[in-house]
Amino acid sequence: MKKRAWAEPFKIKMVEPLRMTTREEREQAIVAAGFNTFLLHSRDVYIDLLTDSGTSAMSDRQWAGLMLGDEAYAGSVNFYHLQEAIQEFYGYQYIIPTHQGRGAEHILSQLLIREGDYVPGNMYFTTTKLHQELAGGTFVDVIVDQAHDPDSEFPFKGNVDLDKLQALIDRVGAKHIPYLSLETNVNMAGGQPCSLANIRDTSELCHKHGIRVFLDATRAVENAYFIKQREVGYESATIADILREICSHTDGCTMSAKKDCLVNIGGWLAVNDEDLAAQARNKVVIYEGLHTYGGLAGRDMEAMAIGIRESVVYEHIRARVGQVEYLGQRLIDAGIPVVHPIGGHGVFIQAAKFLPHISREAFPAQALSAALYVESGVRAMERGAVSAGRDHATGENIYPKLELVRLTIPRRVYTQAHMDVTAESVEELYENRDRVVGLRFIYEPQYLRFFQSRFEPIEGNRVLND
Ligand code: F0G
């Protein structure tokens, strides 16, 4: 039989109109936004690839689930549905819901990190690292070197480098390492997975030294898909089996349910240690809400429970990652420098290579995302020096090896035609790349500066000249 192309495993029941803008409107909008795509109004955006966080389309089942919201202050039936789904698919015992991922990171960091501690992780994530620092810890990157090389085709660039981890243990002592933070499908590396072999070895090394391992499970389902595709021995395993196996090597997780779990808001902290669960329940009431709702409505928890079940269906995850790979391949074919291999949740453009005339001090990735918006109405996100922030000791900007623009694909939202238009927009900008102008700060907030900073062009008043 002739092999057929795959397609999305759904059809569309409700549509949300998009608004096209003129070039002139976008020029004004980006100035008003201080050349920061986070500060644009979404009504001025045509195709919104800012983030895959909270931007998923829910299924008809999930919308039906919203109507079953039990909005009791305590003991909502939806909490128990959520707990069952997490226990079944992630395998953890105790579940503390939070309003989103950083709520869980806050609680975990405050409970386990002491002043002067070190927290190793496979590359930093912005909110995760900040919570570790606010709790008195120092983040230490122990990811494999290949993760910092955007051209490396290594299939598991999310892996922990066990030698780096051992060196940290030798240097500071295991008692100053409360836990290792293990991210699946590492966001800042370009959506790159860890292998199960590496997860197993990492957790063995940690546990041997009495160091706990906490998973950032935000994109663990996407990681499970890559394991099925790439790791010998898992070709015929189900996504659900692989997900359970990933989690089984860890002591708990923080979760931003706004990604894999196919909902617009929500998160949780999961642990297997009963005492730690009790302490976390005691903290959640201070910052989030009672331990059976954690800042969420009952209906949100119901939608999340249903989303978890949908997320592990093979046809769903194949289409989700397949769409990202489709866009990535189009850009590769057009000669655009992107991070290899194409990741699970987005295509990451190598901005410094795309704009060689802009120095790192003039933030090529920030300029590129602003210019792409002006060119096409497509909204992307900076993931480079602006996101990395400043060194606490010296106050100097940190310039990570990866200076990237992320085209992040929301789940189940856009069509292949939107991917084509996006690719054409990037290609057109690439042809005119010498017209893009670098940026400098005019306002820089103290925490997570990429969200709210404002910029101006280093010369003239436009980020994209005619
Ligand atoms: N961990 C990872 C790996 C994330 O990507 C995010 C959020 C969080 C934790 C925090 O979760 O937003 O629910 O509080 N990432 C979003 C993004 C913001 O666009 O990548 P949150």
Side-chain angles (χ1 to χ4, degrees), residues 51 100-102 105 125 183 187 216 219 256 259 406:
T51 176
Q100 59 185 80
R102 68 198 74 178
E105 291 170 351
F125 184 71
E183 186 185 333
N187 189 354
D216 180 336
R219 297 182 183 84
S256 171
K259 284 84 165 175
R406 188 181 72 177

Side-chain angles (χ1 to χ4, degrees), residues 260-319:
D260 269 356
C261 302
L262 299 165
V263 286
N264 305 121
I265 194 70
W268 76 75
L269 172 65
V271 299
N272 288 333
D273 174 333
E274 198 178 344
D275 284 346
L276 188 60
Q279 292 172 45
R281 280 192 208 104
N282 201 228
K283 275 259 191 258
V284 81
V285 289
I286 311 173
Y287 298 108
E288 305 279 321
L290 194 73
H291 59 277
T292 58
Y293 77 83
L296 299 167
R299 55 181 172 269
D300 298 330
M301 292 188 282
E302 190 64 28
M304 209 189 305
I306 298 168
I308 288 169
R309 291 176 192 282
E310 292 179 357
S311 73
V312 297
V313 173
Y314 177 69
E315 286 70 25
H316 156 72
I317 194 66
R318 178 176 68 153

